[in-house]
Amino acid sequence: MRVNNHAPNQNIVEMAQSSSEIRRFPGFLPITILCLVLLYAPLVIVMIYSFNDSRSITLWGGFSLRWYEDVFFGLEAAKFKIAAWNSLSIASMAAITSTVLATSAAVGMIRGGSFRGKPASFALISLPLMVPEIVTAVATLIFFSTIGFTRGYASILVAHIVFCIPFAYLPIAARLDGIESFYEQAALDLYASKAQAFWRILLPLMAPGILSGFLLAFIISLDDFIITNFVKGAGIETLPTAIFGSVKQGIKPNIMALSTLMLLISILLVTVSFFVGKSGNKSGR
Amino acid sequence: MATGVKIESGGGSSSVFGSLRYWLLTPSWLVIGFFLVAPVAMMLIYSFLTKEFRGGVIWEFSLAAYDQFIFDRGLFGDEPPKLEWTYISIFFRSIWQAFSATVLCLLIGFPTAYFIATRPIHTRPIWLFLVTIPYWVNLLIRTVSLKFLIRDSGPLNQWLISFGILDSPIHLINTNVAVQLGLFYSYLPFMVLPIYASVERYNFVLSEAAWDLYANRWTTLRYILLPSVKSGIIAGCILVFVPSLGAFLAPDLLGGAKNFMIGSLIEEQFKGNAGNWPFGAAASMILLTLVLIVLMVYARQQSRTESKYS
Amino acid sequence: MGGKIQTTAIKIENVKKQFGIGENAVTALTGITIDILDNEFFTLLGPSGCGKTTLLRMIAGLESVTAGTIFLYGQEIKDLSANKRPINTVFQQYALFPHMTVLQNIGFGLKMLGKSKSEIIDRSEKMLELVQLGQFGDRRPSQLSGGQQQRVALARALAPSPKVLLLDEPLSALDLKLRQAMRVELKQIQEETGITFVFVTHDQEEALTMSDRIAVMSNGELQQIGSAQEIYEQPRNQFVAGFIGETNLFDVIIEDIQEDQAICRIGGTCISCTVTGSAVKGSTRQISIRPERLSFTSSPEDGHITGVIERLTYLGTDTQYLVQLDDGTIITVRSQNAHESGVNVQPGERIGLELGKGGARLLMN
């Protein structure tokens, strides 16, 4: 991230030079299309059938919004509303907490120079990513049970914070890595205290990465199933666990409506995160 | 400026925030240390404890969990041990499933990644976006959607029948194939992205040189391109294989009782009163060890390749 | 410099810098001692990696001092953090804050010092005028050219009225014409404001044109301090002689010593060299002869030293000649093309050379 360009842009034409004939592989385009079809088909089908008027899940009865109504006002609506509230509130708090922790860790790692234990530190921060989710779930359950941490809202929140940290960390660290250290040095040279240098100079420059990290952590928390399922105990549901429980009894149309809603929200959040990240690289530099 | 770089450039350990690094890192270290490392250690301990009747444990050392894994000691536990295949076979099946899913992802993911990497520069982010959006949808929802699609009475079968391709529905659900499909669906972007990154860095002048020397596109692929993008391919395979090993949702929703994988086995141990916590802990430890071995081999490979070229 | 007693602005006392510890330690600076005077334009000159930027950053407080100390107008500042030193830096990469306007950048130091809003705006605009960017106050750094950014960086560093201004190769990214114009501007600003400038560069022409005094550095060591003329005319050692301008270097045996001159032999001919430091008869030393101190005599017999022209290179203002002396030694001669016909010698021709008084210097070991 440079304010000015000292070296002429060295990313001169690379692949565009080679004749497209050399680069083309027949059959790769169809496979790519197939890939995209495979990826979207199930989701699109669910979306379509969520508007199915018929109660039978397999016969098409015409377009209708009744299942969406059912989600919000039907028999299970209350259950879903509470679950949604749990999911959203936990995701918000977990995302905020893990983003703060991740920001602090990123500054420590990226600006800390090389120190003994730095690779171990990085391994520790990314540990939640490397341990299989089910192992984390089991370990957390066992641990909470041993120390007497009652399973419930708080236990879910704590577990979420832990695995959100590396997800928030990665975009923040990536962004910080691209910010040259002379900005904060210039701030110090101009009589700013370290705190002022951080708040007024480094933090604004890191903002797109932090926002990206926050959104990423938010989505990850919102979507989590396995760990939540293990540590939540009996009395509480989040949206994914509620959906799972419902699906176990058979796929009902209102589930498809709910799924479509969640699907659209996820896509919206990712798109926002994507554009936030991109804008950070362009303007205001 | 080769030798002068370290001396002339500022920053490093004398940078503004450098001296605060331990303060900045400790909170995260504590959180992860206390809520992940300690739990895993606890889990290790549990795997050596005795099972309590209604789930939970009795704090008594025992190798019963690991023993149960491998040996069948009969109904009352006093017969000479025979090899217990049930659980071992579950592990092998998991490895096989994860492997198949990886191959499937590779077969579809490599051409896709290559294709995207050879698009005009400004369109590439759009393609990548398209490929990764589905990933951002809740895994549970994606798996449920897949289940919905391929059920006996699901839209896929209906379509095929109504178009006359089939007479009766193909039984896809609750088969190995369904699980593999589910795993493929879950982790495909993880195969595409690293391969894309590698191909994007590939200099096609090398292909031109190969053509100049009478290679065709397939021999170029095999002898020139693939070796160059090897690191991306391996990274993609690891990123698909490892999560697939421990997956729960795909085998549970799509595989049914006959297609248990490690994830389902473990989950069962902690459900309600029939559970066997030490056994579940033991199975988790074995899974974790497997995964860590794979990761360490990979890490060692990486550092060896790096030191070779630095 | 007349009879005026000059105050020492910065006193660098036996300063050492080491990066890292143990076997991986890299020594960037070994025992540097420099006195920089008040109101001086002082330059640290040397090739990449010689430690000049490290020394500058240590004055700024952005690098720690491993050993030795630094005084600012008599006060020890070694342990003072950068934001407590009344010293400001113009960074090589400018380091303008991208999310602030030009005016906000310039006013930043004053804001951190807690000045009143009106004072900040006043002073910032004054600085903007000083660097002739009056209309650009509301722009962002990314909207400015390299030269404009450089001037904003300068204005920003000058705004808080520092006691000393540090400049880390500020002109290195500019093209030649701009660089030359900026050299003049910088010198003018220094004279107008009276602030002590410490300037770092690897470009000797820059150092020679702008500085009151120059400290030549190499490999973390101080080679020589002096005015431009002193450095050029009286280089102390081989490095300084070779780094600034061109020179001929010869190993000779001192045959005799007369007052401040040492007698030695090149090309078979005896010449006298000005002695730096001490000289011992019979010892082997190195001498430096600047190419322009040799002139051609009208005929070979008149020349003190004789030889044959090997090659000549036309350089516009001068012509450079490679001459082989009678004993095989090669020497470079420069002659100004002052007349239309020039010196008019051809390769292969036998010529005579005259060495100007003081043209040969004995170098320190």
Side-chain angles (χ1 to χ4, degrees), chain A residues 6-149:
Chain A
H6 282 218
N9 192 346
Q10 281 159 359
N11 287 341
I12 322 179
V13 214
E14 347 109 31
M15 307 208 302
Q17 291 291 39
S18 281
S19 115
S20 53
E21 182 54 30
I22 290 183
R23 300 190 290 151
R24 197 180 65 87
F25 277 92
F28 276 23
L29 173 57
I31 294 184
T32 306
I33 303 289
L34 173 67
C35 176
L36 290 174
V37 165
L38 287 176
L39 285 179
Y40 282 93
L43 301 176
V44 168
I45 300 281
V46 165
M47 278 177 66
I48 294 178
Y49 273 80
S50 70
F51 296 108
N52 184 5
D53 196 23
S54 152
R55 197 183 301 261
S56 152
I57 206 161
T58 45
L59 299 171
W60 180 256
F63 183 89
S64 144
L65 286 174
R66 62 190 286 203
W67 301 116
Y68 288 91
E69 273 183 58
D70 188 76
V71 168
F72 286 106
F73 305 112
L75 291 170
E76 300 180 292
K79 179 176 85 176
F80 286 137
K81 283 210 184 88
I82 297 178
W85 167 250
N86 288 333
S87 279
L88 287 170
S89 58
I90 290 178
S92 309
M93 291 194 280
I96 293 177
T97 314
S98 59
T99 302
V100 168
L101 288 172
T103 305
S104 174
V107 176
M109 288 290 285
I110 306 282
R111 291 293 195 246
S114 51
F115 53 93
R116 228 194 345 243
K118 185 166 185 175
S121 172
F122 182 69
L124 187 61
I125 294 176
S126 38
L127 197 61
L129 284 177
M130 296 196 290
V131 176
E133 254 201 296
I134 192 141
V135 174
T136 309
V138 167
T140 313
L141 170 64
I142 289 178
F143 185 68
F144 283 173
S145 161
T146 313
I147 65 173
F149 192 177

Side-chain angles (χ1 to χ4, degrees), chain A residues 141 151 229-230 244 248, chain B residues 53-55 248 252 260 264-277:
Chain A
L141 170 64
R151 291 181 251 172
N229 202 33
F230 265 73
F244 182 78
K248 273 299 185 187
Chain B
F53 190 50
R54 273 182 315 249
F248 169 71
D252 188 73
F260 252 34
S264 340
L265 177 66
I266 295 177
E267 198 258 359
E268 204 189 39
Q269 305 311 316
F270 294 94
K271 254 197 325 219
N273 294 334
N276 183 344
W277 282 34

Side-chain angles (χ1 to χ4, degrees), chain C residues 259-281:
Chain C
E259 291 174 4
D260 67 333
Q261 298 288 313
I263 309 295
C264 52
R265 205 175 280 268
I266 55 161
T269 321
C270 275
I271 58 166
S272 76
C273 312
T274 319
V275 174
T276 327
S278 61
V280 171
K281 195 155 128 174

Side-chain angles (χ1 to χ4, degrees), chain C residues 229-256:
Chain C
Q229 187 166 20
E230 285 164 15
I231 303 269
Y232 187 80
E233 301 285 346
Q234 300 154 30
R236 280 179 68 224
N237 59 27
Q238 178 190 348
F239 179 82
V240 180
F243 187 75
I244 318 274
E246 287 168 48
T247 191
N248 293 291
L249 294 169
F250 300 109
D251 291 315
V252 296
I253 301 180
I254 301 184
E255 302 190 355
D256 194 12

Side-chain angles (χ1 to χ4, degrees), chain A residues 1-4 6 182-194 196 200-201 204-205 284-285, chain C residues 57 83 85-89 91 93-100 109 111-113 141 149 156 160 173:
Chain A
M1 182 179 138
R2 303 285 230 128
V3 169
N4 42 34
H6 282 218
F182 50 59
Y183 294 111
E184 64 234 37
Q185 288 172 11
L188 223 64
D189 182 73
L190 292 163
Y191 316 108
S193 65
K194 291 199 184 190
Q196 284 169 319
R200 289 184 184 276
I201 305 297
L205 293 176
R285 320 210 320 46
Chain C
R57 289 169 58 85
N83 50 12
R85 304 187 192 194
I87 299 177
N88 294 131
T89 308
F91 288 76
Q93 310 94 331
Y94 312 149
L96 298 179
F97 305 129
H99 57 298
M100 295 185 186
K111 187 165 174 165
M112 291 299 107
L113 288 171
Q149 288 174 8
R156 182 177 74 174

Side-chain angles (χ1 to χ4, degrees), chain B residues 26-243:
Chain B
T26 304
S28 300
W29 286 351
L30 284 179
V31 168
I32 298 182
F34 190 65
F35 289 110
L36 185 56
V37 178
V40 171
M42 197 90 252
M43 183 177 81
L44 177 62
I45 296 177
Y46 263 58
S47 68
F48 289 111
L49 297 181
T50 315
K51 144 187 152 146
E52 161 88 80
F53 190 50
R54 273 182 315 249
V57 288
I58 304 174
W59 280 81
E60 212 176 275
F61 178 81
S62 149
L63 286 174
Y66 290 99
D67 185 282
Q68 183 180 356
F69 216 80
I70 314 179
F71 298 118
D72 174 12
R73 291 182 188 271
L75 207 51
F76 296 102
D78 51 1
E79 287 172 24
K82 299 183 305 211
L83 209 49
E84 170 65 76
W85 278 110
T86 326
Y87 305 119
I88 301 182
S89 69
I90 290 182
F91 262 81
F92 280 132
R93 183 187 306 130
S94 301
I95 297 179
W96 166 249
Q97 295 283 52
F99 179 75
S100 315
T102 308
V103 169
L104 199 55
C105 280
L106 194 54
L107 287 177
I108 303 230
F110 178 84
T112 308
Y114 179 91
F115 180 79
I116 299 180
T118 52
R119 293 309 92 207
I121 297 191
H122 46 273
T123 55
R124 280 179 220 161
I126 304 178
W127 284 99
L128 286 176
F129 200 51
L130 282 179
V131 169
T132 47
I133 285 184
Y135 172 72
W136 295 114
V137 177
N138 192 328
L139 180 58
L140 174 64
I141 293 181
R142 275 186 285 146
T143 314
V144 169
S145 316
L146 190 59
K147 177 169 186 160
F148 176 68
L149 184 62
I150 63 176
R151 291 182 318 171
D152 289 353
S153 47
L156 182 63
N157 275 313
Q158 286 193 342
W159 270 39
L160 294 176
I161 291 181
S162 67
F163 280 125
I165 305 179
L166 292 178
D167 290 323
S168 59
I170 341 172
H171 183 68
L172 272 181
I173 204 77
N174 293 340
T175 62
N176 269 343
V177 177
V179 175
Q180 286 163 10
L181 220 64
L183 293 174
F184 159 81
Y185 194 47
S186 309
Y187 303 117
L188 180 68
F190 287 157
M191 177 66 78
V192 171
L193 290 176
I195 297 183
Y196 165 81
S198 279
V199 176
E200 219 225 348
R201 269 193 302 239
Y202 173 73
N203 189 349
F204 276 85
V205 166
L206 296 177
S207 293
E208 285 184 351
W211 279 57
D212 184 69
L213 293 164
Y214 315 110
N216 61 40
R217 53 170 57 88
W218 301 104
T219 46
T220 306
L221 177 71
R222 176 166 161 213
Y223 290 111
I224 312 291
L225 184 71
L226 282 181
S228 299
V229 300
K230 194 170 62 155
S231 68
I233 295 180
I234 295 180
C237 289
I238 302 258
L239 286 175
V240 171
F241 185 79
V242 167

